[in-house]
Amino acid sequence: MKKLLYIFILLPIIFTSCGTSKIMMVDGVTNLSEYEYIVFGEGSNGSAALEEVLFTVRQEISRTRLKTISKYEANNLILLGHKVLTPNINITSQYWDGGQTYITVSFYDYDSGMLLAIIKSTGIGLIVEHDQSIAIEEIRKKLHELLD
């Protein structure tokens, strides 16, 4: 009887905490291995509450094999024939019933502005901080899969 009680207590927790993620590549792009460098933009997500998540995603990108450089360095390296990426990071959190957080990272060629790849993740948790941490963990996995 105790086991049945535990099952009924744990099932809602298990089913209310989940995350998903996927990588989408633009037609004709098979990988990003020719890119060595990344330039982060100035952008903010517009929400002070989501700045911490934005900062964490930027840190995760910086922990990949890509070297973070300035816009000035990027322009010089492009002239030398190197390839440089730039990400656009979008974060949305919904605050109903524990919430849901979406993180989308779009990677562009810095020189041409061409979209190359998109990574999306979703986290659903019991509270907003929980779904944000789930979404961050999901995006972390895909970032390292794509960029390492």
Side-chain angles (χ1 to χ4, degrees):
M1 188 67 180
K2 271 188 173 180
K3 286 183 183 180
L4 191 58
L5 181 62
Y6 288 129
I7 289 172
F8 283 117
I9 291 172
L10 291 176
L11 271 178
I13 294 171
I14 291 169
F15 287 118
T16 58
S17 301
C18 67
T20 62
S21 60
K22 66 179 175 178
I23 298 172
M24 296 177 289
M25 303 294 284
V26 174
D27 287 341
V29 177
T30 57
N31 64 52
L32 301 179
S33 61
E34 60 192 34
Y35 289 84
E36 305 170 60
Y37 303 97
I38 193 152
V39 173
F40 290 104
E42 310 293 324
S44 166
N45 215 30
S47 167
L50 298 176
E51 285 297 315
E52 185 178 336
V53 178
L54 177 65
F55 180 76
T56 303
V57 173
R58 283 184 171 190
Q59 279 185 313
E60 288 304 323
I61 294 170
S62 296
R63 289 183 180 131
T64 66
R65 66 171 171 76
L66 298 173
K67 181 180 178 196
T68 303
I69 57 173
S70 70
K71 291 178 181 182
Y72 175 77
E73 291 172 301
N75 292 328
N76 290 335
L77 287 166
I78 289 167
L79 290 174
L80 295 172
H82 294 277
K83 299 244 182 202
V84 180
L85 283 174
T86 188
N88 181 6
I89 304 167
N90 188 337
I91 302 156
T92 306
S93 279
Q94 297 175 347
Y95 298 96
W96 44 265
D97 293 334
Q100 189 166 352
T101 295
Y102 305 94
I103 301 173
T104 303
V105 182
S106 304
F107 289 98
Y108 295 86
D109 181 277
Y110 185 74
D111 186 34
S112 70
M114 185 176 118
L115 177 63
L116 302 169
I118 300 171
I119 302 176
K120 291 183 165 195
S121 76
T122 304
I124 302 172
L126 299 173
I127 58 173
V128 174
E129 292 80 12
H130 187 218
D131 57 66
Q132 288 175 350
S133 67
I134 293 169
I136 290 168
E137 183 57 35
E138 291 294 325
I139 207 85
R140 177 182 296 127
K141 292 176 196 173
K142 293 300 180 185
L143 282 168
H144 290 285
E145 182 181 321
L146 179 66
L147 300 176
D148 281 338

Coordinates of all heavy atoms in Angstrom, one line a residue, residues 104-148:
T104 N 15.9 29.5 -27.7 CA 16.3 29.3 -29.1 C 17.6 30.0 -29.3 O 17.7 31.2 -29.0 CB 15.2 29.8 -30.0 OG1 13.9 29.2 -29.7 CG2 15.5 29.5 -31.5
V105 N 18.5 29.3 -29.9 CA 19.8 29.9 -30.3 C 20.0 29.7 -31.8 O 20.0 28.5 -32.3 CB 21.0 29.2 -29.6 CG1 22.3 29.9 -30.0 CG2 20.8 29.3 -28.0
S106 N 20.0 30.8 -32.5 CA 20.1 30.7 -34.0 C 21.6 31.2 -34.3 O 22.0 32.2 -33.8 CB 19.2 31.7 -34.6 OG 17.8 31.4 -34.3
F107 N 22.3 30.4 -35.1 CA 23.7 30.7 -35.4 C 23.7 31.2 -36.9 O 23.2 30.6 -37.8 CB 24.5 29.4 -35.3 CG 24.8 29.0 -33.9 CD1 24.0 28.0 -33.3 CD2 25.7 29.7 -33.1 CE1 24.2 27.7 -32.0 CE2 25.9 29.3 -31.8 CZ 25.2 28.3 -31.2
Y108 N 24.4 32.3 -37.0 CA 24.5 33.0 -38.3 C 26.0 33.1 -38.6 O 26.9 33.3 -37.8 CB 24.0 34.4 -38.2 CG 22.5 34.5 -38.0 CD1 22.0 34.5 -36.7 CD2 21.6 34.5 -39.1 CE1 20.6 34.5 -36.5 CE2 20.2 34.6 -38.9 CZ 19.7 34.6 -37.6 OH 18.4 34.6 -37.4
D109 N 26.3 33.1 -40.0 CA 27.6 33.4 -40.4 C 27.8 34.9 -40.2 O 27.0 35.7 -40.7 CB 27.8 33.1 -41.9 CG 29.2 33.4 -42.4 OD1 29.4 34.6 -42.8 OD2 30.0 32.5 -42.5
Y110 N 28.9 35.3 -39.5 CA 29.0 36.7 -39.1 C 29.2 37.6 -40.3 O 28.7 38.7 -40.4 CB 30.2 36.8 -38.1 CG 30.4 38.2 -37.6 CD1 29.5 38.8 -36.7 CD2 31.4 39.1 -38.1 CE1 29.7 40.0 -36.2 CE2 31.6 40.4 -37.6 CZ 30.7 40.8 -36.6 OH 30.9 42.1 -36.1
D111 N 29.9 37.1 -41.3 CA 30.2 37.9 -42.5 C 29.0 38.1 -43.4 O 28.7 39.2 -43.8 CB 31.4 37.3 -43.3 CG 31.9 38.1 -44.4 OD1 31.8 39.4 -44.3 OD2 32.3 37.5 -45.4
S112 N 28.3 37.0 -43.7 CA 27.2 37.1 -44.7 C 25.9 37.3 -44.1 O 24.9 37.7 -44.7 CB 27.2 35.8 -45.5 OG 26.8 34.7 -44.7
G113 N 25.8 37.0 -42.8 CA 24.5 37.1 -42.1 C 23.5 35.9 -42.4 O 22.4 35.9 -42.0
M114 N 24.1 34.9 -43.1 CA 23.3 33.7 -43.4 C 23.0 32.8 -42.2 O 23.9 32.5 -41.4 CB 24.0 32.9 -44.5 CG 23.2 31.7 -45.0 SD 24.1 30.9 -46.3 CE 24.3 29.3 -45.6
L115 N 21.7 32.5 -42.0 CA 21.3 31.5 -41.0 C 21.9 30.1 -41.3 O 21.7 29.6 -42.4 CB 19.8 31.5 -40.8 CG 19.2 30.5 -39.8 CD1 19.7 30.9 -38.4 CD2 17.7 30.5 -39.9
L116 N 22.5 29.5 -40.3 CA 23.2 28.2 -40.5 C 22.5 27.1 -39.7 O 22.3 26.0 -40.2 CB 24.6 28.3 -40.2 CG 25.5 29.3 -40.9 CD1 26.8 29.4 -40.3 CD2 25.6 28.9 -42.4
A117 N 22.2 27.4 -38.5 CA 21.6 26.3 -37.6 C 20.8 27.0 -36.5 O 21.0 28.1 -36.1 CB 22.7 25.5 -37.0
I118 N 19.9 26.2 -36.0 CA 19.0 26.6 -34.9 C 19.0 25.5 -33.8 O 18.8 24.3 -34.2 CB 17.6 26.9 -35.3 CG1 17.6 28.1 -36.3 CG2 16.7 27.3 -34.1 CD1 16.2 28.3 -37.0
I119 N 19.2 25.8 -32.6 CA 19.0 24.9 -31.5 C 17.8 25.4 -30.6 O 17.8 26.6 -30.3 CB 20.2 24.8 -30.6 CG1 21.5 24.4 -31.4 CG2 20.0 23.8 -29.5 CD1 22.7 24.4 -30.6
K120 N 16.9 24.5 -30.4 CA 15.7 24.9 -29.5 C 15.7 23.9 -28.3 O 15.9 22.7 -28.5 CB 14.4 24.7 -30.3 CG 14.2 25.7 -31.4 CD 12.9 25.5 -32.1 CE 12.5 26.6 -32.9 NZ 11.1 26.7 -33.3
S121 N 15.3 24.5 -27.2 CA 15.0 23.7 -26.0 C 13.8 24.2 -25.3 O 13.5 25.3 -25.4 CB 16.3 23.6 -25.1 OG 16.4 24.8 -24.4
T122 N 13.2 23.3 -24.6 CA 12.1 23.6 -23.7 C 12.2 22.9 -22.4 O 12.7 21.8 -22.3 CB 10.8 23.1 -24.4 OG1 10.7 23.6 -25.7 CG2 9.5 23.5 -23.6
G123 N 11.8 23.6 -21.4 CA 11.8 23.0 -20.0 C 10.5 23.3 -19.4 O 10.0 24.4 -19.4
I124 N 9.9 22.2 -18.8 CA 8.7 22.3 -18.0 C 9.0 21.8 -16.6 O 9.4 20.6 -16.5 CB 7.5 21.5 -18.7 CG1 7.3 21.9 -20.1 CG2 6.3 21.6 -17.9 CD1 6.4 21.0 -20.9
G125 N 8.7 22.6 -15.7 CA 9.0 22.2 -14.3 C 7.9 22.6 -13.3 O 6.9 23.1 -13.7
L126 N 8.2 22.4 -12.1 CA 7.2 22.8 -11.0 C 7.2 24.3 -10.7 O 6.1 24.8 -10.4 CB 7.6 22.0 -9.8 CG 7.5 20.5 -9.9 CD1 8.0 19.8 -8.6 CD2 6.1 20.0 -10.2
I127 N 8.3 24.9 -10.9 CA 8.4 26.4 -10.7 C 9.2 27.0 -11.8 O 9.9 26.2 -12.5 CB 9.0 26.8 -9.3 CG1 10.4 26.2 -9.2 CG2 8.0 26.4 -8.2 CD1 11.1 26.7 -7.9
V128 N 9.2 28.2 -12.0 CA 9.8 28.9 -13.2 C 11.3 28.6 -13.1 O 11.9 28.3 -14.2 CB 9.6 30.4 -13.2 CG1 10.4 31.1 -14.2 CG2 8.1 30.7 -13.4
E129 N 12.0 28.7 -12.0 CA 13.4 28.4 -11.9 C 13.7 27.0 -12.3 O 14.8 26.7 -12.9 CB 13.9 28.7 -10.5 CG 13.9 30.2 -10.1 CD 12.5 30.7 -9.6 OE1 11.6 29.8 -9.4 OE2 12.4 31.9 -9.5
H130 N 12.9 26.1 -12.0 CA 13.1 24.7 -12.3 C 13.0 24.5 -13.8 O 13.8 23.8 -14.4 CB 12.0 23.8 -11.6 CG 12.3 22.4 -11.7 ND1 11.2 21.5 -11.9 CD2 13.4 21.6 -11.8 CE1 11.7 20.3 -12.0 NE2 13.0 20.3 -12.0
D131 N 12.0 25.1 -14.5 CA 11.9 24.9 -15.9 C 13.0 25.6 -16.7 O 13.4 25.1 -17.7 CB 10.5 25.2 -16.5 CG 9.9 26.6 -16.2 OD1 10.5 27.5 -16.8 OD2 8.9 26.7 -15.5
Q132 N 13.5 26.7 -16.1 CA 14.6 27.4 -16.7 C 15.9 26.5 -16.7 O 16.6 26.4 -17.6 CB 14.9 28.7 -16.1 CG 13.8 29.8 -16.4 CD 14.0 31.1 -15.7 OE1 14.8 31.2 -14.7 NE2 13.2 32.1 -16.1
S133 N 16.1 25.9 -15.5 CA 17.3 25.0 -15.4 C 17.2 23.8 -16.3 O 18.2 23.3 -16.8 CB 17.5 24.6 -13.9 OG 16.5 23.8 -13.4
I134 N 16.0 23.3 -16.5 CA 15.8 22.1 -17.4 C 16.1 22.6 -18.8 O 16.8 21.9 -19.6 CB 14.3 21.6 -17.3 CG1 14.1 20.9 -15.9 CG2 14.0 20.6 -18.4 CD1 12.7 20.6 -15.6
A135 N 15.5 23.7 -19.2 CA 15.8 24.2 -20.6 C 17.3 24.5 -20.8 O 17.8 24.2 -21.9 CB 15.0 25.5 -20.8
I136 N 18.0 25.0 -19.8 CA 19.4 25.3 -19.9 C 20.2 24.0 -20.1 O 21.1 23.9 -20.9 CB 19.9 26.1 -18.7 CG1 19.4 27.5 -18.7 CG2 21.4 26.1 -18.6 CD1 19.6 28.3 -17.5
E137 N 19.8 23.0 -19.3 CA 20.5 21.7 -19.4 C 20.3 21.1 -20.8 O 21.2 20.5 -21.4 CB 20.0 20.7 -18.3 CG 20.7 19.4 -18.3 CD 22.2 19.5 -18.2 OE1 22.7 20.4 -17.5 OE2 22.9 18.7 -18.8
E138 N 19.1 21.2 -21.3 CA 18.8 20.7 -22.7 C 19.6 21.4 -23.7 O 20.1 20.8 -24.7 CB 17.3 20.8 -23.0 CG 16.4 19.8 -22.2 CD 16.7 18.4 -22.5 OE1 16.9 18.0 -23.7 OE2 16.6 17.5 -21.6
I139 N 19.7 22.8 -23.6 CA 20.4 23.5 -24.6 C 21.9 23.2 -24.5 O 22.6 23.2 -25.5 CB 20.1 25.0 -24.5 CG1 20.3 25.7 -25.9 CG2 20.9 25.8 -23.5 CD1 19.2 25.7 -26.8
R140 N 22.4 23.0 -23.3 CA 23.8 22.7 -23.1 C 24.2 21.4 -23.8 O 25.2 21.4 -24.5 CB 24.1 22.5 -21.6 CG 25.5 22.1 -21.2 CD 25.7 21.8 -19.7 NE 25.5 23.1 -19.0 CZ 24.6 23.2 -18.0 NH1 23.9 22.2 -17.6 NH2 24.5 24.4 -17.4
K141 N 23.4 20.4 -23.7 CA 23.6 19.1 -24.4 C 23.8 19.4 -26.0 O 24.7 18.9 -26.6 CB 22.5 18.1 -24.2 CG 22.5 17.6 -22.8 CD 21.3 16.7 -22.6 CE 20.9 16.5 -21.2 NZ 19.7 15.7 -21.0
K142 N 22.8 20.1 -26.5 CA 22.8 20.3 -28.0 C 23.9 21.2 -28.4 O 24.5 21.1 -29.5 CB 21.4 20.8 -28.4 CG 20.3 19.8 -28.3 CD 20.6 18.6 -29.1 CE 19.4 17.6 -28.9 NZ 19.7 16.3 -29.5
L143 N 24.3 22.2 -27.6 CA 25.4 23.1 -28.0 C 26.7 22.3 -28.1 O 27.4 22.5 -29.1 CB 25.6 24.2 -26.9 CG 24.6 25.4 -26.9 CD1 24.7 26.2 -25.7 CD2 24.8 26.2 -28.2
H144 N 26.9 21.4 -27.1 CA 28.1 20.6 -27.2 C 28.1 19.6 -28.3 O 29.1 19.3 -28.9 CB 28.4 20.0 -25.8 CG 28.9 21.0 -24.8 ND1 30.1 21.6 -24.8 CD2 28.2 21.6 -23.8 CE1 30.2 22.5 -23.9 NE2 29.0 22.5 -23.2
E145 N 26.9 19.1 -28.6 CA 26.7 18.2 -29.7 C 27.0 18.9 -31.1 O 27.7 18.3 -31.9 CB 25.3 17.6 -29.8 CG 25.0 16.6 -30.8 CD 23.6 16.2 -30.8 OE1 23.0 16.0 -29.7 OE2 23.0 16.0 -31.9
L146 N 26.6 20.1 -31.2 CA 26.8 20.9 -32.5 C 28.2 21.5 -32.6 O 28.7 21.5 -33.7 CB 25.7 21.9 -32.6 CG 25.7 22.8 -33.8 CD1 25.4 22.0 -35.1 CD2 24.8 24.0 -33.7
L147 N 28.7 22.0 -31.5 CA 29.9 22.8 -31.6 C 31.2 22.2 -31.1 O 32.2 22.8 -31.1 CB 29.6 24.2 -30.8 CG 28.5 25.0 -31.4 CD1 28.3 26.2 -30.5 CD2 28.7 25.4 -32.8
D148 N 31.2 21.0 -30.6 CA 32.4 20.3 -30.1 C 32.9 19.3 -31.1 O 32.2 18.8 -31.9 CB 32.2 19.7 -28.7 CG 32.3 20.8 -27.6 OD1 32.8 21.9 -27.9 OD2 31.7 20.5 -26.5

